[in-house]
Amino acid sequence: MTTPLYRQLGLTDGEFAHIPTLIGRAPTDAELAMFSLMWSEHCSYKHSRRLLRRFPTEGPHVLQGPGENAGAVDVGDGWAIALKIESHNHPSAVEPFEGAATGVGGIVRDILALGARPIALLDSLRFGSLESARSRHLFTRAVAGIGHYGNCIGVPTVGGEVAFDDRYEDSCLVNAMCIGLVRADGILRAAAFGEGNLLVLIGNRTGRDGIGGASILASAELSSDDADKRPSVQVSDPFTERKLMDCCLELAADSAFLALQDLGAAGLTSAACEMAAKGGVGLEIDLDQIPLREGGMAAAEILVSESQERMLGLVAPETLDHVLATCSRWELDASVIGTVTTTGNFTARHHGAIVVDIPASALTDDAPAYDVPRTPASAPTPLELDHIPAPDDLQAAWAELLARPNLASKRWIYQQYDHLVGANTIRRPGGDAAVVRIPGMKRALAITTDCAERHCELDPRGGGRASVFEAARNIACTGALPLAASDCLNFANPEKASTGWRLAEVIEGMSEALEAIAVPVVSGNVSLYNESPERAIYPTPVVGMIGLLDDAGSSVGHALASEGDLVIVLGGGIARLDASEWIGAAHGAPALPNLDGEAALIGFMVSAAREGLWCSAHDISGGGIAITLAESALAGGIGCMVTLPEDRRPDEVLFGESGERIVATCRPTALARLTALAGDVPITVIGSVGGDSVDVHLGGATIRLDLEIARVAYEATLPEAVA
Amino acid sequence: MTRVVVTVMPRQGVLDPQGQAVRGALGRLGFSGIHDVRLGRRIELELDGPDPLGTAREMCERLLANALIEDFTVAIED
Amino acid sequence: MTRVVVTVMPRQGVLDPQGQAVRGALGRLGFSGIHDVRLGRRIELELDGPDPLGTAREMCERLLANALIEDFTVAIED
Amino acid sequence: MVAVVRFPGSLDHESAVRAVRGVGGEATYAWHADPQLPDGTRAVIIPGGFSYGDHLRPGAIASRSPIMDAVRRHADAGGLVLGICNGFQVLCEAGLLPGVLRTNATTSFVCRQVELEVLDHDTPFTRELGAAISVPIKNHDGAWFGDPHHARIVFSYGPENPLGSVASAAGVASARGNVLGLMPHPEEAVDPLLGSTDGLGLFAALVRA
Ligand SMILES: Nc1ncnc2c1ncn2[C@@H]1O[C@H](COP(=O)(O)OP(=O)(O)O)[C@@H](O)[C@H]1O
Ligand SMILES: [Mg+2]
């Protein structure tokens, strides 16, 4: 017996049975295709929707919380910042260059949909070990694709992160984040309204592009000799995207759009249904008006095509001529494809016949939602250091650690990204958070993405907290006050009870941390089922965060500055090797991040920065204090001498992680004021800046990292690994 | 030594932004009657060995063409 | 409607870094006996009009090829 | 008045305008489809970006647009024309500057700060510049290829030749010196916040011309 079409499309028996109760009859094929995509995990968040309600989403400066194409926060003087992070994992695994490139294109259009001008991009990447040829291919091509798209549309890619681990060998992660600038009173929403208003489709023509649902649909419907009708991989067209940006922003500035929506997953179906459902109106669409790239496309194909570089604008009839003329000046196709009705139904005509006529809300609001099964994993076992040999040559271990792909310089990546276009990048990639001046303002934003995936694997609640705090510390190290977050929850199959539990726990931990530092989540994305029969990814909740600096000129960098500056460790974190880079795998029982301690550390960092007391700051993360000191010294081209306490095993002291610690430097004259400001935050002077090596005195011995040798170890890894 | 010519073209149905851009430019230069422009690559290889065509085909499969979005042909040039 | 194939290749004597990069990559994939790799463009035009070859040649001169570094040929595809 | 030409896919036009205004000059945009430069244009900047997506060859499609006829007339009359990055590519493709920009020897996009040697201070653009300036490069096709003996090479990369240009050239002027193209971005080196102000002199000269 052949599997029924609805199951091949991913609908369960129960979901399929529910459709007639919503629309009063059996669905047509086109309608079934629409239901299957709109009720997919990707569009409906059916396994995560209930859990996501836990996130704190409110704050005095939130102008747009989750639910629109992107979130937005007030940054003063009438301006707002839009932000959103999103995954393009599966398409990137199929075709890394185009998959990653179109991922960038998609997130940029989400920001554009608010009427915001994209001003910065970041990328968060996970691949299998660089020893695997497949992972090298995915990594190098994904980086090339991200660079190609971002460079060509003129939005600087100012930061990101990458990690390599066998757990991502079968399911790589490609997440992209975009930040945009918009007038606070000019934020566009996606809700359609006003009977007779027109839907205008702008941008690329519609072809048989699609990877997810659309291809299943086609393979179910097409015989093998119809190969040329198979959906094709989406090919990126950044040139058209740039024109789309210029054109839509010009029209938004003219108040020509009543609403704006990008076409992403599930294409027109999703875009139009969401506009209708949000506005509580109906839409009547004429598929014959959609410019097609190929002949003979079926109604269902047009409805779910995922052709890129398309936007859907809602326009009043009297503004139409202006909109069409502007599109034509930008050499972009634009067509009126439908009108707003009062029926509440999504109606589509094709060749004169009605092929779809269903309540728009049936596809959106009535989508299923499930509780994930939750079975706690057993508690992690602490590392038994007695069974882990200590390195006998700490100096060699230090250099080796610095050269590991997860810790080595990421210059090979960001040198392929235009991180300067727009002339607003104040702190370039290579430090903690990037700092970007808000165009036209005295203020600047600090931006970062971070995730503590090994910690999440061992203790999801603690790892959720750690991911948020790592992002917040990176922001705070620049002197910026953490302001808002977006998140991308990359997980394995949530229908497995251990994954469901991890998802819930991570969200709980992230929420606790976000509440502790009063940072709301204003947007996000979920990517589930990142597993193969052989392996599942670590829980990877990537946190994208922005922070605000009142004075763009006051940001703090991570480079050691001048001879004689004091080197200080701030915060109460205790170095531990559990889940560390030094151990190199998810082993041990990392400490639960302390909510009050982290919040106090971040608060202290920022308030001292406001008084201009820091010469540099860099948080302690992967590789421990040894790597933090090495990076700051390399960036500054000057060394330091420090003495570390002998209270633990030397490799723990040097390479231990844990969060809640920052290495900062200050002028000796600032120390008294810092001590007064620190309150409950422990601060310890450990040494001073100077020399051309990093010298660590530990238990009577001196461990030395020569900067010139370190630089070679640090810079050579990635170029050599991919050569 | 054999000279093998490889041509790699975007597959039918796959977006060809380059071809579209060139087509637009030719139109603006005043050329008319252009139905379609498709842009691809031509790779000329000089190869030693017993089976140059087979080698070139394998090169296409492993590096020169991206089977998901491109079609290729190989031919011996005389 | 006539289908004209334009090929544009780097001129002899002009360094072809992309070709060299491809050659290096092929070598790293284990292919041997590669004497030379040259990378160029293939442009397929579908044209109306009385003199498609002449038109294509003019298109090359005015846009499709840069005479400083590239040679072109035009041919009718059957 | 400095006219900054805008093509579909231009990216650095706003930075160019900001750089001109930053040294007290006036700037306006010129649209690629217009046959004339704006009234009162004294100097033209063709900014960086990916005009027409860099399809076919970088700068090739833009160099054939209507505004370029006006730019050519402006240059022939001795007016100043500055092409930055993609603008340099456009000027070479238009035949206003010798040579052509080819794919970087790295065959990748390269974004980094570089040191430039100023080899020719005798152009209207370079009189106020020091012997060496620090500016960013960010391009994929920035290797100048041409005859170094018959070209006026104005800027060269310091000891290294990061993109593989002939004669390590980073910028080239016309024989008369009134048309200049360079791959690096002086308009992104006009603000201490962004790390360098070495590009200011170039815009100051342009505005005073
Ligand atoms: N994929 C990437 N794209 C762009 N920049 C990156 C990428 N990976 C790392 N970087 C940059 O390299 C620097 C170091 O990254 P990382 O080690 O993740 O920093 P941290 O530990 O402070 O989060 C940061 O400035 C980051 O923005
Ligand atoms: Mg950091």
Side-chain angles (χ1 to χ4, degrees):
Chain A
M1 201 188 88
T2 56
T3 319
L5 180 59
Y6 71 85
R7 274 211 215 142
Q8 295 179 42
L9 289 170
L11 292 172
T12 66
D13 296 352
E15 287 166 353
F16 181 64
H18 190 51
I19 294 174
T21 69
L22 292 173
I23 66 172
R25 57 178 166 76
T28 65
D29 279 1
E31 288 165 350
L32 185 62
M34 293 167 69
F35 273 105
S36 77
L37 288 174
M38 290 300 289
W39 287 9
S40 70
E41 187 64 47
H42 198 65
C43 291
S44 72
Y45 292 86
K46 56 189 168 192
H47 288 100
S48 57
R49 211 155 72 217
R50 291 182 176 159
L51 298 173
L52 295 175
R53 292 189 195 128
R54 170 67 182 89
F55 280 135
T57 58
E58 280 165 21
H61 51 287
V62 175
L63 297 175
Q64 178 62 62
E68 279 288 335
N69 287 298
V73 288
D74 196 331
V75 290
D77 295 348
W79 289 98
I81 291 294
L83 64 152
K84 168 93 187 273
I85 183 167
E86 197 168 68
S87 69
H88 225 217
N89 302 337
H90 182 53
S92 302
V94 174
E95 209 311 286
F97 182 94
E98 299 297 347
T102 52
V104 172
I107 192 65
V108 163
R109 288 192 298 282
D110 270 327
I111 295 299
L112 187 58
L114 266 69
R117 175 151 82 120
I119 57 168
L121 285 164
L122 292 89
D123 60 335
S124 173
L125 311 173
R126 297 290 183 284
F127 300 96
S129 156
L130 282 174
E131 259 135 58
S132 141
R134 179 181 135 83
S135 288
R136 281 199 305 275
H137 168 73
L138 291 173
F139 166 56
T140 54
R141 295 303 292 160
V143 166
I146 291 162
H148 170 66
Y149 210 97
N151 298 345
C152 201
I153 60 172
V155 180
T157 304
V158 297
E161 43 157 5
V162 65
F164 307 94
D165 190 293
D166 285 337
R167 294 285 287 268
Y168 300 96
E169 177 70 25
D170 300 335
S171 319
C172 65
L173 303 183
V174 174
N175 295 179
M177 179 176 179
C178 188
I179 309 292
L181 179 69
V182 57
R183 298 263 353 153
D185 59 4
I187 297 175
L188 287 171
R189 296 199 161 74
F193 60 90
E195 188 177 8
N197 283 331
L198 304 171
L199 279 180
V200 181
L201 181 64
I202 307 173
N204 261 336
R205 292 173 165 249
T206 299
R208 289 191 176 88
D209 302 331
I211 292 202
S215 50
I216 303 165
L217 185 71
S219 50
E221 285 185 339
L222 296 172
S223 63
S224 54
D225 42 63
D226 274 336
D228 59 327
K229 286 199 185 149
R230 277 185 198 293
S232 47
V233 170
Q234 300 149 346
V235 169
S236 57
D237 182 1
F239 172 52
T240 296
E241 181 101 336
R242 176 67 203 202
K243 292 191 292 181
L244 206 49
M245 276 167 57
D246 283 326
C247 178
C248 287
L249 291 173
E250 203 174 300
L251 288 169
D254 292 347
S255 307
F257 289 127
L258 303 170
L260 189 60
Q261 165 76 33
D262 65 295
L263 277 76
L268 181 62
T269 292
S270 164
C273 286
E274 279 173 22
M275 287 180 90
K278 277 189 184 132
V281 297
L283 289 175
E284 198 172 305
I285 292 190
D286 183 354
L287 298 180
D288 298 322
Q289 297 307 312
I290 297 180
L292 302 178
R293 206 169 71 228
E294 300 174 68
M297 285 180 69
E301 291 181 300
I302 301 173
L303 281 163
V304 304
S305 159
E306 295 185 352
S307 287
Q308 303 288 296
E309 290 94 15
R310 297 182 298 166
M311 298 290 289
L312 195 54
L314 184 72
V315 169
E318 56 276 18
T319 328
L320 180 65
D321 287 345
H322 173 61
V323 169
L324 296 181
T326 305
C327 293
S328 139
R329 201 161 57 80
W330 281 106
E331 300 171 8
L332 285 168
D333 279 328
S335 335
V336 177
I337 65 159
T339 49
V340 176
T341 68
T342 53
T343 63
N345 270 23
F346 181 102
T347 312
R349 286 172 198 280
H350 192 221
H351 301 332
I354 291 181
V355 290
V356 176
D357 191 13
I358 45 179
S361 57
L363 291 164
T364 54
D365 305 350
D366 295 331
Y370 302 115
D371 288 318
V372 290
R374 304 185 201 179
T375 306
S378 49
T381 1
L383 283 184
E384 284 187 53
L385 281 188
D386 299 345
H387 297 157
I388 300 170
D392 16 277
D393 185 346
L394 285 166
Q395 210 152 290
W398 191 357
E400 185 259 316
L401 192 57
L402 191 61
R404 284 198 199 167
N406 283 351
L407 297 180
S409 167
K410 305 303 181 300
R411 188 185 308 277
W412 182 86
I413 302 174
Y414 59 73
Q415 194 159 291
Q416 295 183 60
Y417 299 161
D418 185 341
H419 42 263
L420 302 173
V421 59
N424 289 305
T425 307
I426 296 171
R427 298 271 172 207
R428 303 179 183 188
D432 285 319
V435 176
V436 175
R437 172 170 56 193
I438 305 178
M441 281 177 89
K442 193 168 175 257
R443 301 198 174 110
L445 290 175
I447 321 172
T448 187
T449 63
D450 286 287
C451 181
E453 60 268 24
R454 278 195 307 259
H455 195 156
C456 289
E457 170 76 9
L458 296 165
D459 168 17
R461 180 167 314 195
R465 287 185 183 182
S467 299
V468 167
F469 285 134
E470 161 126 32
R473 258 182 279 118
N474 281 334
I475 298 284
C477 279
T478 68
L481 181 70
L483 190 67
S486 183
D487 68 283
C488 192
L489 303 175
N490 304 276
F491 279 74
N493 181 354
E495 295 165 53
K496 294 189 181 161
S498 59
T499 303
W501 173 77
R502 288 196 171 97
L503 182 58
E505 284 289 296
V506 160
I507 290 173
E508 181 61 31
M510 290 171 74
S511 301
E512 290 166 345
L514 289 160
E515 281 161 356
I517 52 175
V519 170
V521 167
V522 296
S523 59
N525 178 247
V526 178
S527 168
L528 302 177
Y529 303 98
N530 292 292
E531 70 175 274
S532 70
E534 282 73 43
R535 56 195 136 198
I537 64 164
Y538 292 134
T540 313
V542 176
V543 177
M545 195 177 286
I546 62 169
L548 194 60
L549 275 160
D550 286 332
D551 177 1
S554 73
S555 73
V556 180
H558 78 301
L560 298 184
S562 330
E563 177 149 7
D565 289 350
L566 300 180
V567 182
I568 310 171
V569 173
L570 329 172
I574 291 165
R576 298 213 351 211
L577 289 178
D578 309 67
S580 66
E581 279 294 342
W582 175 244
I583 296 299
H587 292 311
L592 187 67
N594 178 323
L595 298 174
D596 296 335
E598 290 272 14
L601 173 63
I602 288 159
F604 168 50
M605 191 69 226
V606 174
S607 50
R610 288 200 172 131
E611 295 189 19
L613 298 173
W614 304 121
C615 297
S616 77
H618 193 16
D619 74 318
I620 299 181
S621 59
I625 193 169
I627 297 300
T628 304
L629 290 169
E631 286 177 342
S632 291
L634 285 171
I638 185 168
C640 61
M641 295 129 277
V642 303
T643 304
L644 294 181
E646 219 183 320
D647 52 353
R648 316 173 72 82
R649 223 169 78 171
D651 53 341
E652 251 194 317
V653 172
L654 284 171
F655 310 138
E657 303 174 18
S658 74
E660 208 192 323
R661 284 190 304 160
I662 290 172
V663 173
T665 61
C666 71
R667 299 304 301 162
T669 48
L671 187 62
R673 177 67 188 143
L674 281 171
T675 312
L677 267 182
D680 290 338
V681 178
I683 73 172
T684 317
V685 176
I686 60 166
S688 62
V689 173
D692 46 21
S693 58
V694 180
D695 292 4
V696 176
H697 305 293
L698 183 60
T702 298
I703 308 143
R704 167 170 297 175
L705 187 73
D706 176 87
L707 285 190
E708 281 325 302
I709 295 169
R711 193 178 302 282
V712 173
Y714 186 60
E715 295 293 348
T717 301
L718 282 193
E720 279 172 10
V722 301
Chain B
M1 205 173 61
T2 320
R3 205 176 152 89
V4 183
V5 173
V6 173
T7 67
V8 182
M9 298 298 294
R11 281 179 89 161
Q12 273 309 327
V14 168
L15 181 70
D16 175 18
Q18 302 225 52
Q20 291 315 301
V22 171
R23 183 185 172 160
L26 289 170
R28 283 190 299 275
L29 284 174
F31 290 101
S32 61
I34 310 172
H35 282 271
D36 198 20
V37 178
R38 296 185 74 73
L39 233 82
R41 289 191 299 281
R42 176 187 166 97
I43 306 160
E44 297 180 356
L45 303 165
E46 285 183 14
L47 300 178
D48 269 347
D51 179 17
L53 269 190
T55 307
R57 219 170 276 126
E58 202 194 325
M59 288 174 167
C60 287
E61 277 152 15
R62 293 187 53 199
L63 180 74
L64 302 179
N66 181 342
L68 288 169
I69 51 179
E70 294 169 329
D71 289 324
F72 68 85
T73 65
V74 297
I76 296 201
E77 175 103 317
D78 21 40
Chain C
M1 206 173 61
T2 319
R3 205 177 154 89
V4 183
V5 174
V6 172
T7 67
V8 181
M9 295 301 293
R11 281 203 151 164
Q12 277 311 327
V14 170
L15 204 74
D16 175 18
Q18 311 227 50
Q20 291 316 302
V22 169
R23 183 185 171 162
L26 288 171
R28 281 189 298 277
L29 284 175
F31 291 100
S32 61
I34 310 171
H35 283 272
D36 198 20
V37 178
R38 296 188 75 72
L39 226 83
R41 261 192 300 279
R42 177 186 165 96
I43 306 165
E44 296 181 359
L45 303 164
E46 285 183 13
L47 301 177
D48 269 347
D51 179 18
L53 269 190
T55 307
R57 218 172 277 124
E58 199 193 329
M59 288 173 168
C60 287
E61 278 153 12
R62 292 185 57 198
L63 177 71
L64 300 180
N66 182 332
L68 203 60
I69 47 168
E70 294 169 332
D71 290 322
F72 68 85
T73 65
V74 297
I76 295 198
E77 174 102 319
D78 22 40
Chain D
M1 174 71 75
V2 177
V4 177
V5 178
R6 213 174 157 188
F7 301 104
S10 289
L11 306 178
D12 299 325
H13 46 281
E14 285 180 31
S15 311
V17 166
R18 222 196 284 165
V20 169
R21 293 191 180 144
V23 293
E26 279 181 66
T28 187
Y29 289 124
W31 187 243
H32 67 102
D34 289 343
Q36 303 285 348
L37 288 165
D39 286 345
T41 296
R42 301 277 302 275
V44 175
I45 296 179
I46 307 191
F50 280 75
S51 61
Y52 291 97
D54 266 7
H55 293 312
L56 197 62
R57 296 180 307 278
I61 298 179
S63 72
R64 275 85 169 162
S65 54
I67 195 75
M68 287 308 294
D69 292 327
V71 172
R72 186 173 285 109
R73 288 192 299 273
H74 175 80
D76 287 347
L80 298 194
V81 181
L82 170 66
I84 303 170
C85 196
N86 191 228
F88 186 15
Q89 295 164 336
V90 170
L91 290 173
C92 286
E93 278 283 346
L96 284 167
L97 287 174
V100 59
L101 280 309
R102 311 193 55 219
T103 298
N104 297 339
T106 59
T107 67
S108 64
F109 192 94
V110 177
C111 178
R112 52 173 283 206
Q113 199 77 12
V114 294
E115 303 296 315
L116 293 187
E117 280 172 37
V118 184
L119 303 180
D120 185 346
H121 282 89
D122 196 23
T123 77
F125 304 93
T126 50
R127 294 204 172 107
E128 303 182 20
L129 296 180
I133 60 175
S134 170
V135 282
I137 47 171
K138 6 174 267 182
N139 62 69
H140 186 277
D141 302 272
W144 183 76
F145 176 88
D147 178 355
H149 306 296
H150 293 97
R152 226 172 135 172
I153 299 177
V154 175
F155 299 105
S156 74
Y157 298 103
E160 45 169 351
N161 184 2
L163 309 178
S165 306
V166 169
S168 206
V172 171
S174 60
R176 281 166 84 180
N178 63 319
V179 181
L180 171 70
L182 75 169
M183 286 315 294
H185 288 262
E187 84 283 17
E188 294 195 2
V190 294
D191 184 342
L193 263 188
L194 306 181
S196 168
T197 53
D198 290 357
L200 279 174
L202 205 153
F203 292 96
L206 193 75
V207 162
R208 236 163 286 155

